[in-house]
């Protein structure tokens, strides 16, 4: 009798029961959480995942160059040709205090010489960005926005960006211009 | 901000606007490969640990994981970080959680529930990296591992707190190995990573055991998993070889509970715990709530609000970049104040919950320390076991029945 009673209250049976209970609770919670999340899940195409700069918000503060996790920032200067005025005296190409309007480095805005200029016809010049040289400092963007059409702007190159879960530049961006876009929104362009 | 100061030029020479294409990698394909590889590698580890009971495949999986998830995909998005996205998605309806992140979160949990922490074994690039550099297992004192063992929980709780308040993803921010995978980054974090790796050479997986918040979460599910890793099918001869081989102290030695206590005392002790438990929870909740406004300074809105208030107090100061952007965009201070107050209210609520959970962690650890169960043989602690499969080849009982020679290192 005594033996039987002890068996009934034996910790082994209790532990087994608790274990089964634990398994049931764990399995149930997995189902519940995935159910809730799956119901909230938007289409993968709509769910935003890729970091992009909103050119309208960007204040070209220069942190894109310094704060990206990559050694050379994934932010590059983009040029919207259709916005550009093709000026000879380009605010994004020449420094505001340039002594002479020639291609000497001390006259140029871009510290790496990534902006190339090509004569089209009088008085128009075409500007293109050599992406491999651009470091995303945004100096030209500042110049173009303050004296120009604002056709130069900064954007994150999706083939260079590592899609960090939390974009390090977005964290320090003073104007909250960096947000995620969905897979089918390719680039936030200015055209 | 688009200033059209100059008119569009009308070209006479027939100039055409250049077509500019910006490269878009095949992101859908990469995401699909990520998920398929995640499932395949976890499947291989499960098979190796549960069925085949050998370590060889796990090492190969580790190499693949470090190479692909680590160096090729640069470690983002990983399951560890996905905890934050999921927490944010659960509390914030406006946050769109991508399916891939959900799968990265839920699949390892599911596998942990079925087969134990097979994700940790070698599929997680962080665990794999530490596993691959490990050469010697010096045991750490029990007191140290118990105290440090609470850290992943605290880390998890803080990470969730900052994720649900939309402040920061601290798991991603303070990630020691990402700089190594990316071959560059924050020098402080890389130094931490290197120190952790050097430690990992001499003791098993310091990051997994003492920091990893996702491992803490998985340990809940692996402790009640359906198929469990077994040391040996044959009777244990208590040789302690497996215990010495285990890098993460997951094999509990036999323990004879000599001081057999009376039932009454046991019940009394249990009652004491139940008094202690809510007390610790309340303490934690109160403490965290009292530092809620300090903790909220990690939030961008709060920092901006402070800056604006400071500037309003002495308007003569030079504008910082944030203030320039704030005034430049013409945001109203009222709007900012509203957002600030909402963040503060969120922080009040969530710090209280976080504090309560931290109290719970401490209480459960204390209870765990004082619960003493009799064990007749070596047993795996399934919560701590990461499924590295080292113990199998050390077990003499296992070797007897397995003379075909496929005993891995």
């Amino acid at each position: 009798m005594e033996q039987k009673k002890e068996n009934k209250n034996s910790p082994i049976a209790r532990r087994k029961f608790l274990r089964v209970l634990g398994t049931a609770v764990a399995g149930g919670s997995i189902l519940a959480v995935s159910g809730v999340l799956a119901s909230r899940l938007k289409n993968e195409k709509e769910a935003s995942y890729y970091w992009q700069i909103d050119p309208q918000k960007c204040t070209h503060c220069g942190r894109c160059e310094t704060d990206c996790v990559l050694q050379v920032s994934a932010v590059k200067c983009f040029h919207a040709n259709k916005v550009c005025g093709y000026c000879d005296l380009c605010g994004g190409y020449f420094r505001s205090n340039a002594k002479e309007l020639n291609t000497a480095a001390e006259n140029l805005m871009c510290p790496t010489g990534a902006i190339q200029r090509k004569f089209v016809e009088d008085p128009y010049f075409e500007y293109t960005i050599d992406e491999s040289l651009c470091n995303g400092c945004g100096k030209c963007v500042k110049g173009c926005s303050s004296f120009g059409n604002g056709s130069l702007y900064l954007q994150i190159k999706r083939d260079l960006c590592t899609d960090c879960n939390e974009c390090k530049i977005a964290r320090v961006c003073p104007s909250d211009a960096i947000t995620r876009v969905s897979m089918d929104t390719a680039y936030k362009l200015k055209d | 901000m688009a200033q059209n100061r100059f008119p569009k030029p009308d070209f006479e020479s027939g100039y055409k606007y250049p077509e500019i294409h910006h490269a878009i990698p095949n992101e859908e394909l990469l995401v699909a490969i990520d998920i398929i590889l995640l499932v395949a590698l976890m499947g291989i580890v499960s098979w190796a640990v549960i069925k085949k009971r050998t370590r060889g495949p796990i090492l190969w999986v580790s190499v693949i994981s470090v190479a692909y998830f680590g160096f090729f995909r640069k470690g983002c998005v990983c399951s560890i970080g996905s905890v934050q996205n999921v927490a944010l998605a659960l509390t914030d309806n406006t946050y769109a959680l991508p399916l891939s992140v959900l799968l990265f979160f839920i699949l390892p949990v599911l596998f942990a529930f079925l087969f134990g922490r097979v994700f940790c074994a070698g599929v997680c690039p962080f665990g794999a990296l530490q596993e691959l550099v490990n050469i010697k297992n010096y045991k750490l004192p029990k007191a140290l591992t118990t105290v440090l063992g609470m850290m992943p929980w605290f880390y998890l709780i803080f990470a969730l707190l900052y994720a649900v308040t939309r402040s920061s993803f601290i798991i991603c921010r303070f990630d020691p190995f990402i700089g190594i995978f990316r071959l560059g980054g924050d020098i402080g974090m890389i130094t931490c990573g290197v120190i952790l790796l050097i430690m990992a050479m001499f003791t098993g997986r310091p990051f997994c055991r003492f920091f990893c918040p996702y491992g803490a979460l998985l340990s809940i599910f692996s402790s009640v998993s359906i198929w469990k890793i077994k040391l040996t099918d044959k009777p244990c001869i208590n040789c302690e070889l497996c215990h010495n081989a285990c890098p993460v102290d997951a094999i509990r030695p036999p323990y004879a509970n000599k001081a057999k206590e009376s039932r009454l005392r046991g019940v009394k002790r249990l009652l004491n715990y139940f008094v202690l438990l809510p007390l610790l929870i309340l303490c934690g909740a109160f403490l965290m709530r009292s530092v809620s406004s300090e903790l909220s300074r990690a939030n961008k809105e709060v920092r901006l609000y402070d800056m604006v208030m400071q500037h309003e107090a002495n308007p003569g100061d030079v504008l910082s970049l944030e203030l320039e952007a704030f005034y430049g965009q013409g945001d109203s201070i009222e709007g900012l104040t509203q957002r600030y107050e909402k963040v503060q209210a969120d922080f009040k609520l969530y710090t209280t919950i976080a504090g309560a959970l931290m109290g719970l962690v401490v209480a459960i650890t204390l209870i765990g320390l004082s619960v003493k169960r009799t064990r007749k043989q070596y047993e795996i602690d399934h919560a701590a076991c990461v499924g590295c499969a080292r113990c199998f080849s050390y077990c003499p009982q296992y070797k007897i029945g397995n003379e075909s020679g496929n005993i891995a290192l």
Side-chain angles (χ1 to χ4, degrees):
Chain A
M1 185 68 195
E2 189 66 33
Q3 184 70 31
K4 215 175 180 180
K5 203 177 169 192
E6 235 181 63
N7 267 345
K8 215 174 169 186
N9 291 337
S10 126
I12 304 301
R14 196 194 309 148
R15 267 173 224 163
K16 211 173 196 172
F17 169 72
L18 283 176
R19 200 170 298 145
V20 171
L21 192 72
T23 309
V25 168
S29 61
I30 292 179
L31 281 179
V33 168
S34 45
V36 168
L37 289 172
S39 70
R40 293 217 188 138
L41 209 61
K42 304 212 170 83
N43 189 342
E44 174 78 348
K45 286 211 182 300
E46 284 169 35
S48 42
Y49 196 73
Y50 300 96
W51 296 104
Q52 288 282 284
I53 299 173
D54 184 347
Q56 310 300 336
K57 276 187 171 179
C58 173
T59 57
H60 21 83
C61 62
R63 287 188 185 162
C64 285
E65 181 202 352
T66 51
D67 281 80
C68 183
V69 294
L70 300 172
Q71 270 132 331
V72 180
S73 176
V75 175
K76 301 284 171 204
C77 179
F78 280 30
H79 188 210
N81 286 76
K82 288 181 182 149
V83 182
C84 180
Y86 286 77
C87 316
D88 180 7
L89 185 62
C90 172
Y93 187 69
F94 292 114
R95 288 190 197 182
S96 52
N97 56 354
K99 288 199 182 76
E100 284 172 85
L101 296 187
N102 60 27
T103 54
E106 72 268 22
N107 298 329
L108 298 186
M109 195 65 115
C110 183
T112 59
I115 307 181
Q116 275 132 25
R117 153 178 161 119
K118 200 175 82 189
F119 177 71
V120 180
E121 63 180 61
D122 195 45
Y124 301 132
F125 285 86
E126 184 197 64
Y127 297 92
T128 44
I129 315 284
D130 184 347
E131 198 183 276
S132 58
L133 292 176
C134 179
N135 61 1
C137 68
K139 289 195 173 77
C140 58
V141 180
K142 205 167 202 85
C144 182
S145 314
S146 47
F147 183 73
N149 280 0
S151 60
L152 292 167
Y153 60 100
L154 293 173
Q155 193 49 277
I156 297 169
K157 287 284 291 173
R158 268 167 73 165
D159 52 335
L160 302 176
C161 178
T162 52
D163 305 317
C164 295
N165 202 7
E166 184 189 45
C167 174
K168 197 163 165 248
I169 315 172
R171 207 174 63 227
V172 296
C173 176
S175 58
D176 274 331
I178 304 183
T179 48
R180 288 174 182 274
V181 301
S182 58
M183 202 178 260
D184 50 357
T185 321
Y187 280 97
K188 275 192 179 172
L189 296 178
K190 224 178 175 179
D191 286 331
Chain B
M1 210 172 270
Q3 303 89 342
N4 290 307
R5 292 193 180 84
F6 304 102
K8 262 190 166 181
D10 42 347
F11 298 108
E12 285 158 8
S13 59
Y15 170 82
K16 288 242 165 50
Y17 287 116
E19 295 265 323
I20 298 173
H21 293 287
H22 300 294
I24 304 172
N26 194 344
E27 285 148 349
E28 271 170 80
L29 179 71
L30 283 173
V31 167
I33 293 175
D34 284 355
I35 300 294
I36 292 169
L37 203 61
L38 180 73
V39 175
L41 292 182
M42 284 198 293
I44 293 172
V45 174
S46 308
W47 166 78
V49 169
I50 304 277
K51 183 108 181 131
K52 188 82 180 162
R53 300 162 63 80
T54 168
R55 186 165 153 77
I58 296 175
L59 285 175
W60 284 111
V61 167
S62 303
V63 172
I64 295 171
S65 164
V66 167
Y68 181 79
F69 288 120
F71 286 104
F72 178 66
R73 293 291 279 156
K74 315 253 187 245
C76 257
V77 55
C78 74
S79 297
I80 304 175
S82 72
V83 177
Q84 304 162 115
N85 305 52
V86 167
L88 185 54
L90 281 175
T91 52
D92 188 343
N93 270 325
T94 57
Y95 179 75
L97 183 76
L99 177 66
S100 54
V101 177
L102 172 60
L103 288 176
F104 259 96
F105 170 75
I106 208 80
L107 286 173
V109 171
L110 189 67
F111 269 78
F113 178 61
L114 295 176
F115 308 109
R117 289 167 65 177
V118 290
F119 172 74
C120 303
V123 187
C124 173
F126 295 3
L129 190 64
Q130 292 174 82
E131 190 70 45
L132 290 175
V133 298
N134 183 268
I135 43 176
K136 187 100 178 95
N137 282 316
Y138 290 106
K139 298 266 175 210
L140 299 176
K142 179 92 193 298
L144 188 67
T145 53
T146 312
V147 173
L148 289 178
M150 286 192 281
M151 294 216 337
W153 294 101
F154 290 160
Y155 195 4
L156 178 66
I157 291 165
F158 267 97
L160 296 185
L161 170 67
Y162 280 128
V164 296
T165 53
R166 276 191 182 257
S167 303
S168 175
F169 280 2
I170 57 170
I171 298 178
C172 304
R173 194 164 155 191
F174 301 108
D175 183 331
F177 296 125
I178 204 95
I180 296 171
F181 289 138
R182 288 180 177 161
L183 308 173
D186 183 45
I187 193 72
M189 283 332 287
I190 293 180
T191 317
C192 287
V194 170
I195 291 172
L196 275 173
L197 279 186
I198 293 171
M199 278 160 67
M201 288 165 77
F202 303 107
T203 185
R205 299 180 175 231
F207 178 79
C208 305
R209 280 200 284 172
F210 308 132
F211 297 102
C212 182
Y214 192 63
L217 189 70
L218 288 185
S219 73
I220 299 178
F221 292 94
S222 71
S223 59
V224 292
S225 64
I226 294 177
W227 287 280
K228 291 208 160 65
I229 301 168
K230 276 183 285 183
L231 276 172
T232 169
D233 291 330
K234 302 190 189 68
C236 174
I237 56 168
N238 284 343
C239 66
E240 114 175 321
L241 287 174
C242 58
H243 174 73
N244 295 343
C246 182
V248 293
D249 284 333
I251 296 177
R252 298 202 200 96
Y255 176 81
N257 201 351
K258 289 201 185 87
K260 191 81 181 151
E261 62 181 2
S262 69
R263 192 165 173 78
L264 191 70
R265 258 189 74 193
V267 172
K268 254 190 188 161
R269 206 156 49 105
L270 202 64
L271 278 177
N272 284 343
Y273 291 151
F274 278 111
V275 175
L276 184 75
L277 194 76
L279 208 67
L280 278 169
I281 291 174
L282 277 177
C283 273
F286 177 74
L287 279 176
M288 282 291 281
R289 196 185 170 87
S290 59
V291 291
S292 130
S293 65
E294 278 75 22
L295 291 173
S296 73
R297 287 188 54 81
N299 189 292
K300 227 175 156 178
E301 302 280 9
V302 174
R303 281 202 305 269
L304 181 63
Y305 178 82
D306 287 351
M307 271 189 237
V308 170
M309 286 300 124
Q310 212 165 14
H311 178 73
E312 295 294 317
N314 3 274
D317 289 0
V318 185
L319 287 181
S320 66
L321 288 170
E322 280 83 1
L323 287 174
E324 251 175 48
F326 175 74
Y327 288 113
Q329 282 174 349
D331 272 355
S332 68
I333 295 185
E334 287 76 50
L336 179 68
T337 312
Q338 262 175 23
R339 295 199 304 263
Y340 169 80
E341 272 158 9
K342 180 158 185 317
V343 172
Q344 287 294 359
D346 276 357
F347 259 95
K348 271 261 169 337
L349 169 69
Y350 288 121
T351 47
T352 313
I353 298 174
L357 288 175
M358 286 162 81
L360 186 69
V361 168
V362 174
I364 288 178
T365 309
L366 287 178
I367 291 174
L369 277 180
S370 46
V371 169
K372 291 188 166 70
R373 277 182 189 157
T374 304
R375 275 187 298 273
K376 295 207 170 66
Q377 55 187 24
Y378 284 89
E379 278 172 15
I380 297 181
D381 175 4
H382 291 282
C385 174
V386 292
C388 68
R390 269 205 184 82
C391 48
F392 299 147
S393 62
Y394 282 88
C395 181
Q397 286 291 78
Y398 175 66
K399 276 181 189 166
I400 291 167
N402 217 338
E403 257 131 36
S404 50
N406 51 8
I407 293 163
L409 178 72

